Amino acid sequence: MATVFKRPHALIDVPLHYCPGCTHGIVHRLIAEVIDELGIEGKTVGISPVGCTYNNYDYFNCDMVQAAHGRAPAVGTGVKRVNPDNIVFTYQGDGDLAAIGTAEIVHAATRGENITTIFVNNAIYGMTSGQMAPTTLMNQVTTTSPYGRKPEIHGFPIKVCEMLSTLDGAVFVERVSTHDIKNIMSAKKAIKKAFQVQMANKGFAIVEVLSACPTNWGLNPLEALKWIQDNMVPFYPLGNFKGKDLEV
Amino acid sequence: MAIRERMSGNEAMAVAMKQINPDVVAAFPITPSTEVPQYFSNFVADGVVDTEFVAVESEHSAMSACVGAQAAGGRAMTATSANGLALMWEILYIAACSRLPIVMACVNRTLSGPLNIHNDHSDSMGARDSGWVQLYSENNQEAYDNMLMANRIGEHPDVMLPVMVCQDGFITSHAIENIELVEDDKVKAFVGEYNPKDYLLNKANPISVGPLDLQAHCFEHKRQQAEAMKNAKKVILEVSEEFAKMTGRKYGLFEEYKTEDAEVAVVILNSTAGTAKYVIDQYRAEGKKIGLIKPRVFRPFPVDELTAALSKFKAVAVMDKADSFNDAGGPLFTEVTSAMFAKGVFGPKVINYIYGLGGRDVRSTDIEVVFNELLKIAETGTVESVYNYLGVRE
């Protein structure tokens, strides 16, 4: 009988600790499938962030380094510079990448580091239980913006892809989403290309993945997916910002 | 009438901050202190405080914003733990030397690495030489009371130093216990207005804060900073006495528990002191003369008072919830023993236990091990090992 579906080898067969309806599991799987398809498992090194997915070294079947909060792109830079044949990816949330680690991601991109960043944006600090993030939408209720995010108090959300695509060192920048099958398939294509860009030594690649946090949004898993579609996608437009036609 | 309540240590600190009503709170969430600014941001949203709350992008920026706010003449507060405190490190020293009496709630957590969210004292102990006054708290009540006193201590003209109030992450920060709160108007009167002598944009006295300070004056400024820390001891006692008149709760530089006729004693910071008190009561029922010294004030270090108190024991165990990795002893141990040596207190045999690192549970039976060893030392006069680890597999 033909095998039509199996767990990617790059994803270890253990239960994930994420909340019901969290889309980290989907993003993990997409990365693992890409690692399998590109045949790079033996030379891939991942950099784990601080946040809900701090322990993704328990899930990816490759060597990983735990970075301090926000420092994954700097740690990844070090790994890659020592061994340029390795494929290095960072996996970061919005607290890690767009708040405490803003300097690291901007400067890794500016230097054109030949690494791949998967940026999971769920518009909230998940790990610490739902505080306002830099990517929190206007009027979004969080535990530190109980009446919704207001510009006069909380400022405005950061659009990471738009910001990083202005940097010459960032050669591939794309925003994708996990709210339905079609978008998940597009997300996989983008993630694959972001790894291929690195394999072709083209420079810094980042894929921003709009992701659900039902627990901290106070929604059930289905409502959370719809919330991405109805609220996040209009503010964080999907698509390629840079490197669409890059040959890899 | 004081208010009887029940709440966690984090909420207690946040309520203290609400009653103080500072001008600026700048913070970034980090377990286990996250709740402090989170509760506070709700007070801001509900309009019950006048504070500018800044949800900054990192602790480095949180402390920098506090420096700016305090330099501008405001009262600034923040809360953090572990790596958050470490990320503030650069600015901690600048806040202290700029003589900016910022107040911080430090909810003690293990400093990475390894990555760990549970309690020990490696974070605040690492910051012990940053120039901040450090107060330690056994429970939610002490955390609350220390927060209420912190501004008065730091802002005293003879001190003008930032103050860090520490309590144990999760153990007391998340445990809900009974507490007695002070009424808002009494807190307001006790804490008072902050009217610094120097602040930015005072047309009558323009100043620069934190300018380049080389060989000509830097040393003198550091010397003044040291003097301020020395002065803090007297101010802490005065403020504590005034606080006792208001609340009936008495605080000194350290607490002595059943030490009057004690032959041996342990020295412990924060929540484990509560466990030790339980063991002391059990052993006392069996006629064993044991006691506890619980330092409340670690900076300034109460050299004279602490060494005088320790001099009466035959054997002392200094308990460190942080290691110095120096092959000599934990930070509290090395400070206590060097103070004893400097003061010529050679009577007690002193040993060190490193305990509870990374949130390792400290049970009453662990404390019994320490007291048993001390009683043996008191009897034989022989110390087998000075630098010891408690409750670790090896």
Side-chain angles (χ1 to χ4, degrees):
Chain A
M1 195 189 293
T3 302
V4 293
F5 187 82
K6 63 171 184 175
R7 173 179 286 271
H9 189 267
L11 197 62
I12 300 169
D13 188 6
V14 291
L16 305 183
H17 75 284
Y18 303 112
C19 301
C22 170
T23 45
H24 270 307
I26 293 172
V27 183
H28 284 22
R29 185 187 171 92
L30 297 183
I31 293 171
E33 286 178 358
V34 165
I35 290 172
D36 277 12
E37 287 170 20
L38 296 174
I40 54 173
E41 187 182 291
K43 59 177 185 174
T44 296
V45 176
I47 317 295
S48 300
V50 167
C52 288
T53 183
Y54 73 97
N55 65 337
N56 59 19
Y57 41 72
D58 290 335
Y59 306 141
F60 289 114
N61 203 4
C62 61
D63 280 3
M64 300 194 75
V65 184
Q66 170 79 66
H69 204 7
R71 317 303 159 202
V75 175
T77 296
V79 172
K80 185 75 180 181
R81 294 286 184 107
V82 165
N83 206 343
D85 292 337
N86 280 350
I87 301 301
V88 177
F89 76 95
T90 74
Y91 188 111
Q92 303 177 257
D94 43 79
D96 197 81
L97 182 143
I100 202 165
T102 316
E104 277 73 6
I105 195 67
V106 166
H107 289 281
T110 299
R111 292 190 305 268
E113 293 296 340
N114 196 32
I115 62 175
T116 301
T117 290
I118 308 302
F119 166 43
V120 176
N121 178 5
N122 59 14
I124 205 157
Y125 292 156
M127 171 64 116
T128 48
S129 72
Q131 293 77 22
M132 192 190 77
T135 53
T136 293
L137 298 173
M138 298 319 298
N139 299 314
Q140 186 182 339
V141 171
T142 71
T143 57
T144 49
S145 58
Y147 301 116
R149 183 177 192 160
K150 305 285 177 229
E152 62 275 17
I153 303 172
H154 306 110
F156 300 89
I158 291 183
K159 291 179 171 173
V160 168
C161 282
E162 287 82 342
M163 176 175 74
L164 293 182
S165 61
T166 65
L167 303 173
D168 293 340
V171 296
F172 183 79
V173 181
E174 187 158 327
R175 184 182 290 124
V176 296
S177 178
T178 50
H179 68 269
D180 61 20
I181 305 295
K182 178 172 168 284
N183 278 284
I184 290 169
M185 299 310 286
S186 303
K188 182 176 170 185
K189 274 187 203 150
I191 290 169
K192 190 169 188 177
K193 177 124 186 202
F195 276 84
Q196 287 170 320
V197 165
Q198 181 180 170
M199 291 167 76
N201 295 314
K202 297 285 185 183
F204 181 79
I206 181 169
V207 178
E208 176 178 343
V209 188
L210 302 186
S211 201
C213 184
T215 298
N216 288 303
W217 292 351
L219 302 174
N220 71 33
L222 276 178
E223 290 167 347
L225 295 176
K226 189 161 182 342
W227 197 87
I228 297 178
Q229 186 178 12
D230 293 348
N231 296 280
M232 290 189 79
V233 173
F235 186 80
Y236 295 115
L238 305 179
N240 184 278
F241 292 84
K242 217 169 171 183
K244 192 168 188 277
D245 303 320
L246 202 61
E247 288 197 15
V248 291
Chain B
M1 274 292 284
I3 305 150
R4 294 286 300 169
E5 256 290 6
R6 73 272 176 276
M7 59 179 62
S8 69
N10 274 345
E11 188 174 4
M13 283 176 141
V15 167
M17 289 164 70
K18 178 184 77 172
Q19 294 181 310
I20 293 163
N21 193 8
D23 296 290
V24 171
V25 167
F28 182 77
I30 181 164
T31 308
S33 64
T34 300
E35 286 181 327
V36 178
Q38 187 175 305
Y39 278 118
F40 195 83
S41 66
N42 282 272
F43 301 142
V44 174
D46 288 337
V48 294
V49 290
D50 306 303
T51 309
E52 290 287 329
F53 179 78
V54 195
V56 286
E57 80 287 0
S58 74
E59 291 86 355
H60 195 264
S61 296
M63 187 45 62
S64 298
C66 286
V67 163
Q70 200 83 33
R75 245 184 200 137
M77 301 179 90
T78 188
T80 197
S81 299
N83 293 51
L85 184 64
L87 195 54
M88 290 179 177
W89 225 266
E90 180 187 18
I91 320 300
L92 293 180
Y93 283 73
I94 290 168
C97 88
S98 302
R99 310 296 295 276
L100 299 171
I102 298 158
V103 170
M104 179 202 303
C106 175
V107 182
N108 288 115
R109 160 184 155 179
T110 306
L111 182 59
S112 298
L115 180 58
N116 182 315
I117 57 169
H118 292 283
N119 166 252
D120 69 29
H121 301 157
S122 48
D123 52 0
S124 59
M125 277 298 152
R128 65 190 181 273
D129 292 340
S130 61
W132 284 57
V133 172
Q134 285 193 344
L135 306 178
Y136 285 81
S137 324
E138 181 183 329
N139 49 39
N140 60 346
Q141 184 74 63
E142 292 189 9
Y144 170 78
D145 291 348
N146 279 332
M147 285 295 280
L148 293 187
M149 286 183 263
N151 289 91
R152 288 286 307 279
I153 294 163
E155 293 167 9
H156 191 285
D158 295 341
V159 180
M160 291 300 283
L161 289 174
V163 181
M164 190 184 297
V165 177
C166 306
Q167 67 163 321
D168 281 345
F170 291 115
I171 299 168
T172 61
S173 72
H174 283 60
I176 294 171
E177 291 189 283
N178 289 326
I179 191 168
E180 194 173 296
L181 303 176
V182 185
E183 299 90 320
D184 289 352
D185 57 333
K186 280 193 186 168
V187 171
K188 197 174 171 188
F190 178 79
V191 176
E193 286 284 315
Y194 177 49
N195 294 307
K197 190 167 134 285
D198 299 306
Y199 54 92
L200 294 173
L201 299 179
N202 173 7
K203 252 169 58 178
N205 182 27
I207 58 167
S208 294
V209 177
L212 185 69
D213 190 7
L214 302 179
Q215 297 93 325
H217 296 293
C218 182
F219 198 175
E220 282 70 25
H221 288 140
K222 286 290 179 194
R223 178 68 186 86
Q224 288 174 356
Q225 197 181 321
E227 194 66 15
M229 188 58 89
K230 190 176 166 186
N231 295 342
K233 189 166 79 177
K234 185 166 164 278
V235 171
I236 290 167
L237 290 172
E238 287 168 3
V239 171
S240 303
E241 201 178 323
E242 203 182 313
F243 187 80
K245 280 182 191 154
M246 178 172 71
T247 63
R249 294 191 290 277
K250 291 179 182 158
Y251 292 95
L253 301 168
F254 48 86
E255 180 191 341
E256 293 196 56
Y257 186 76
K258 302 197 175 174
T259 55
E260 271 174 32
D261 61 343
E263 293 186 345
V264 306
V266 293
V267 182
I268 306 184
L269 296 167
N270 278 6
S271 67
T272 311
T275 314
K277 286 174 183 174
Y278 169 79
V279 174
I280 289 166
D281 291 348
Q282 306 289 310
Y283 273 41
R284 285 248 164 209
E286 298 168 15
K288 291 169 181 164
K289 294 178 176 174
I290 63 173
L292 160 78
I293 300 249
K294 182 188 78 183
R296 170 193 177 218
V297 181
F298 184 71
R299 285 288 180 270
F301 194 71
V303 172
D304 295 328
E305 298 81 356
L306 197 56
T307 53
L310 292 170
S311 65
K312 59 189 179 235
F313 306 120
K314 287 182 181 167
V316 173
V318 181
M319 309 273 292
D320 271 291
K321 219 172 189 179
D323 203 346
S324 284
F325 306 107
N326 56 2
D327 196 25
L332 187 58
F333 173 77
T334 48
E335 298 242 354
V336 167
T337 48
S338 67
M340 290 173 80
F341 185 86
K343 288 289 165 185
V345 176
F346 302 121
K349 305 280 186 191
V350 191
I351 57 171
N352 184 205
Y353 278 96
I354 309 291
Y355 74 102
L357 298 191
R360 172 63 49 83
D361 204 11
V362 185
R363 298 164 299 184
S364 58
T365 48
D366 294 313
I367 304 297
E368 285 173 13
V369 169
V370 176
F371 276 120
N372 291 345
E373 183 65 21
L374 285 176
L375 289 166
K376 197 170 87 184
I377 292 170
E379 194 183 322
T380 62
T382 308
V383 173
E384 281 177 17
S385 171
V386 172
Y387 185 16
N388 308 284
Y389 290 83
L390 186 67
V392 68
R393 295 187 294 270
E394 49 188 342

